[in-house]
Amino acid sequence: MKRLGKALAAALAFWLALAFSSWAGPALARRVESSPRLLALYASGGEFEQNPYFSEESQARFGVPLDLLSPLGLAPPVPQAELCRQYAQRAEEMAYLLCQNQPYLEYLRGEGTGLAGLAEYCQRVAQLPDNLTYACRYLLFLLWVLFLHLLLRNRPALYFGMGLLCLLATGFKLSGNLLAAALLGSPAALHGVAEGAVPPLLEAMLTFLIFDITLLSLEQSRLGRKLAPLYRDLPALQTLIATLSAAPAAPALYRSRVERSLPRFAAYAKQNRSRRAKALRLQRAVEALAGPHTNQSFIRDLVRLQTLLPNR
């Protein structure tokens, strides 16, 4: 039941992330579109702070964009973002129409751009909701992978799942989505899974993997520095094991005096209060030596303590 509960929680969190990103992306796009300066900076790649193609100046001097509304099947007033989306869908036809407006073309050249820049600008505006949805989905999937890690506490299983997803995404890409079409069937599923869900999920998992491996490396390095003094007591630990092994069945022949025999281990037990699993196991193994023992039980705890020390 516990495993089933975790699986259900992971599935629910995934679908919540997917659904919320589908809402958040268009919502953020509307916020960007409500700011002409921000929209212009995004769509022009930082080149313009205001839309030079469809502006009050271009309308007053050249009749653009009002002259385009009728061919596009639009009636004023039309938001610039919607006009750009409609232009992007019929870019070639609109470019042919604008080619007849030589003063407007001269104006664009004076601004350092042209009809190609206009087409690119409108295409970026048209893609804004999808791009922001992708970005939101990536961030939410990254949080989902972190939640999955905290829920399962099983790195090998998580890494194996990442490997399978990487194989699947690579198969989709190299086959030109032929594999996705064969597996998913419907166009809606093809677009939603192969293009909308798998790529951001893969990027989120790879991001988590990079940070996780880096943090593990830093943790091991930090733990190695904290454990360095313990290796000075390692000869005494091995001597105790060898000495007590000569009479393992003798009852209470040796009672642990950790502070005297293994002073650095005793200091580690008093000072270290890490919550990391490996450090916590080592700390408990050191503390276990403090109680009364027979030779056999003390040898068992000494050997366990020695095996918990990282190899050097």
Side-chain angles (χ1 to χ4, degrees):
M1 287 298 294
K2 189 175 181 180
R3 290 184 178 179
L4 179 60
K6 288 183 176 181
L8 290 175
L12 178 61
F14 178 82
W15 288 112
L16 284 175
L18 193 63
F20 185 74
S21 63
S22 298
W23 170 84
L28 286 175
R30 289 191 293 271
R31 293 291 299 272
V32 174
E33 291 169 3
S34 66
S35 173
R37 180 176 180 274
L38 186 58
L39 182 64
L41 285 171
Y42 158 77
S44 65
E47 187 176 355
F48 301 111
E49 292 190 2
Q50 298 296 330
N51 186 346
Y53 306 103
F54 305 145
S55 63
E56 293 182 0
E57 180 186 1
S58 67
Q59 174 58 44
R61 294 174 59 186
F62 314 107
V64 180
L66 193 60
D67 291 349
L68 300 178
L69 296 186
S70 180
L72 288 172
L74 301 174
V78 180
Q80 282 197 11
E82 179 61 24
L83 178 60
C84 288
R85 280 191 286 269
Q86 294 296 327
Y87 185 98
Q89 294 177 7
R90 301 169 62 180
E92 292 185 5
E93 180 183 346
M94 294 299 102
Y96 176 77
L97 184 63
L98 289 175
C99 281
Q100 302 173 27
N101 192 336
Q102 289 300 321
Y104 180 68
L105 297 181
E106 290 294 334
Y107 160 75
L108 292 183
R109 280 193 287 269
E111 294 290 331
T113 183
L115 293 183
L118 170 58
E120 184 178 355
Y121 185 99
C122 292
Q123 188 65 36
R124 287 175 62 88
V125 173
Q127 292 174 347
L128 178 61
D130 289 341
N131 290 343
L132 289 179
T133 298
Y134 190 100
C136 291
R137 194 161 289 171
Y138 162 75
L139 293 175
L140 289 170
F141 280 166
L142 183 58
L143 292 176
W144 178 75
V145 175
L146 179 61
F147 169 75
L148 200 63
H149 168 62
L150 297 175
L151 182 69
L152 300 179
R153 294 289 183 180
N154 190 338
R155 278 191 174 90
L158 189 59
Y159 290 172
F160 183 74
M162 292 180 186
L164 290 179
L165 182 65
C166 187
L167 287 174
L168 184 65
T170 303
F172 285 172
K173 184 175 181 179
L174 293 181
S175 66
N177 280 341
L178 177 62
L179 177 61
L183 293 176
L184 302 174
S186 70
L190 176 63
H191 177 76
V193 176
E195 299 176 7
V198 171
L201 179 57
L202 179 61
E203 291 183 18
M205 285 189 163
L206 292 177
T207 302
F208 171 82
L209 184 64
I210 292 170
F211 278 101
D212 191 51
I213 292 176
T214 302
L215 291 176
L216 277 176
S217 178
L218 292 175
E219 179 188 345
Q220 289 177 356
S221 176
R222 178 172 173 270
L223 184 61
R225 290 195 299 270
K226 294 186 70 173
L227 297 183
L230 301 186
Y231 290 91
R232 300 175 190 170
D233 280 353
L234 194 56
L237 180 65
Q238 294 168 341
T239 299
L240 279 175
I241 293 174
T243 302
L244 298 178
S245 296
L253 180 63
Y254 183 91
R255 288 183 179 275
S256 116
R257 297 290 300 276
V258 179
E259 290 83 357
R260 185 185 64 185
S261 304
L262 304 171
R264 295 174 182 85
F265 280 99
Y268 177 84
K270 291 178 181 178
Q271 297 173 6
N272 187 59
R273 288 294 179 266
S274 174
R275 295 184 180 180
R276 297 291 184 181
K278 189 172 184 62
L280 193 59
R281 288 196 298 269
L282 181 60
Q283 178 182 322
R284 289 172 178 170
V286 174
E287 291 173 346
L289 299 179
H293 289 278
T294 63
N295 277 15
Q296 188 171 7
S297 66
F298 194 55
I299 291 171
R300 183 184 64 245
D301 284 349
L302 286 174
V303 171
R304 177 169 173 265
L305 173 61
Q306 186 175 4
T307 58
L308 286 175
L309 288 171
N311 294 326
R312 296 189 61 172

